[in-house]
Structures are given as structure tokens and as C-alpha cells.
Amino acid sequence: MAGTEPNAQEPETSADSADRSLWTAADVSPIEIALPAGVGYTLRAYRPSSALPGTDIEGREEDEDPFAARAEEADEEEVVILDEEYAALAAEADDTEEAAEADDKTSAKEKDDDETADEEEEEEEEEEEEEVPYFLTHRGRLLLFKSPESLASFVRSGAPHDLTDLDGWADLVEAVEPTHVVAAPEDMYELDLVVENLRGGHDTWDLDLIIRSGEIARDLGYALRLGPVLTALSAGSPLDDLDDAMRSAAGGGMGAFFGRRRMRKIGAQQASLGWRTIIGKISAVVDWRD
């Protein structure tokens, strides 16, 4: 009678057969990212921008925080505007006082209506708060694990990271096993292939590869506050134009024809150099874990 070979291995869980109920309940997804240094696993969650503080990049050897820089620029612009308008506003002080007196005579009903409208507007803004990406990060670095076993072990260990305050995280910690760490096909990204593919020229470009790489790069750029990545992929940039053209080309119909025409206006060398910078910036903030 044939016996089981002593070195026989159990079949690995495939992406199609994996049980995703654990991730669905926690609203978190395992992600597989291939970089030039190797393939790793991490976790991603989309939440309102106020749900978590995000990763702390203080002390990280990187460009200044792009979010803080934008806030400072906005403050500076506001100061300039106020300085320029101050003289005109002061000259019209009498008219302003008269207008204020007239406003004071507004009926109580009108004031109540205004307050109600403001409250409703604030409620709508809260309801429409944008969801942003969060990853398994710590102190400005992306935690990337070389195996499902190491990721599951880290999650269960209680080690510090930036997802601990997620609702339902405690339940995930209790239940997660290595067999759960299987990325869905749409959550697998091959950043290691992008530069070489772009170098091959327009006729060899893999539209799905580049489009999906742009999606994960934008998410990582935002979550890790990588200014150069956000700038390279910002609206109106050459790589953003390339992304739009590729999406049109992938959509079929007449849009595909015009999309491919737009793609050919973007140099392969320029695109590959831009993406090499993006991947280098992302790779520089990866904390590989065995």
C-alpha cells in the first residue's frame, strides 16, 4: 500500500480559494508588493482621513512633510492677501460698521435658518469625508514581510505599528493565521517590472501593470508622506498624463485609439526614469521583516 512521502508538503492556499471573511470583517486587506529587493506582504485599510493619526515621519531622512509644507504655503498666501487688503478694508471701516449694524437687525428666524443650514452643511461634510489609505507602517516606514508566517506572527505579537487603533483590530489579532495572508489578485502589485517594461517602448507597454502600479504608488506616497512620489504622480504631471492615456487605451473603442496616440507623445525614457525615481523613493522607506 502506498504511503505518504515524508517530505510531501501541503498545497499552498491560492488567491482564489483563500478564506477572506477575516479581512472582510476587519475591513483590512493583505497586500503583496514586488520590489527590486524582493516580494513582501503588508496590510492596507481605507478609512476617513480623521480616523487614524497616520505614520510619524519625524526624524526620517526624507524630504519635508508635503502635507505640512502645503499648510505653510496656504498660511503664507493668506498673510500676503491680508496685508494687501488691509489698507482697503481700513478705508472702508465706516461702511463696514454700518453694514454690521444692519446685520444686527436681522430677524431671529433668519438667524435660526442660517444656523440650521450651517449645521446641515457640516453634517454633509462629515458624511462625505474622504477615505484615505493606511498601511502597516511604523515611524514613517512601510513594514514589509517576506512570508505570510512572519506577517501573521508580527500581528499577533502586539509589536507597535500604526494600525493598532483600527476598529476591530483586536479581533483580527486573535484570529489571524498564516493561511489568511493571501492577497487577492487585485491586491498584487509588481513594481519590480515597471521600469523594464517602460524601457521596452510603447508597443510593449503593459497597460494593466503600469496603471495598477500607479494606484499602489499613490497610496504609498500618501500614507508615507513621500513628497517626490506625490509630485511625480500629481495631476497634470507627465506620469499622470501617461496614466490617463493608458486608462483610455485600456477602455476600448475610439477612446483606446486616442489613448494610444497620447501614449506615444510621452517618451519611454522619460517615463522609465520617472518611475525609477518613484520606486527608489518607496524602496528607501521599506522596513523588510523576515
Side-chain angles (χ1 to χ4, degrees):
M1 182 175 65
T4 303
E5 296 182 7
N7 294 327
Q9 297 180 349
E10 295 182 3
E12 295 181 359
T13 304
S14 69
D16 294 331
S17 63
D19 179 7
R20 305 197 182 281
S21 58
L22 174 69
W23 307 114
T24 301
D27 199 12
V28 176
S29 299
I31 305 296
E32 181 180 315
I33 304 175
L35 289 167
V39 178
Y41 301 87
T42 189
L43 301 178
R44 175 176 60 186
Y46 291 101
R47 294 291 189 279
S49 56
S50 61
L52 296 172
T55 194
D56 181 9
I57 66 170
E58 184 177 356
R60 187 179 74 188
E61 294 183 3
E62 180 56 78
D63 304 273
E64 65 181 346
D65 183 349
F67 301 154
R70 290 173 192 169
E72 290 175 3
E73 289 174 2
D75 290 342
E76 290 174 0
E77 290 176 359
E78 185 176 359
V79 170
V80 171
I81 292 172
L82 289 175
D83 287 343
E84 292 176 348
E85 295 182 351
Y86 180 77
L89 291 173
E92 298 173 358
D94 292 339
D95 294 338
T96 302
E97 290 177 2
E98 292 177 2
E101 291 177 359
D103 289 340
D104 289 340
K105 297 178 182 180
T106 302
S107 67
K109 182 178 182 302
E110 290 175 337
K111 290 181 179 180
D112 290 341
D113 290 343
D114 290 341
E115 291 175 358
T116 301
D118 290 341
E119 290 175 358
E120 291 176 350
E121 184 176 348
E122 289 177 1
E123 290 177 357
E124 290 178 359
E125 290 178 355
E126 290 178 358
E127 292 176 357
E128 297 175 358
E129 187 177 4
E130 181 184 8
E131 288 197 338
V132 299
Y134 295 94
F135 288 85
L136 195 57
T137 53
H138 184 54
R139 294 183 178 177
R141 300 184 70 82
L142 175 68
L143 305 183
L144 208 53
F145 298 83
K146 294 184 177 180
S147 70
E149 291 77 13
S150 59
L151 189 152
S153 177
F154 175 85
V155 170
R156 292 196 302 263
S157 71
H161 57 81
D162 298 321
L163 296 183
T164 54
D165 291 332
L166 279 179
D167 291 340
W169 182 258
D171 294 334
L172 189 152
V173 170
E174 290 293 328
V176 68
E177 297 290 344
T179 53
H180 292 122
V181 185
V182 180
E186 63 270 20
D187 291 327
M188 297 178 181
Y189 304 94
E190 297 176 305
L191 293 177
D192 59 328
L193 303 180
V194 173
V195 173
E196 191 64 28
N197 182 256
L198 289 171
R199 284 176 177 169
H202 302 84
D203 293 334
T204 64
W205 283 356
D206 185 332
L207 304 186
D208 183 62
L209 169 69
I210 309 302
I211 291 171
R212 287 166 41 72
S213 295
E215 292 170 352
I216 189 64
R218 286 183 177 89
D219 277 3
L220 290 170
Y222 184 94
L224 291 160
R225 300 194 172 193
L226 298 174
V229 173
L230 295 174
T231 299
L233 295 170
S234 62
S237 68
L239 292 184
D240 182 63
D241 290 343
L242 176 61
D243 181 80
D244 287 341
M246 286 186 165
R247 290 178 185 275
S248 296
M254 287 299 296
F257 172 76
F258 290 110
R260 292 191 177 278
R261 286 187 60 181
R262 289 168 55 198
M263 283 168 50
R264 292 187 175 278
K265 295 180 180 180
I266 300 173
Q269 183 178 10
Q270 178 188 21
S272 63
L273 287 174
W275 263 105
R276 186 171 67 180
T277 299
I278 289 172
I279 294 169
K281 292 295 182 181
I282 292 172
S283 297
V285 295
V286 170
D287 183 357
W288 286 98
R289 302 290 183 92
D290 292 327

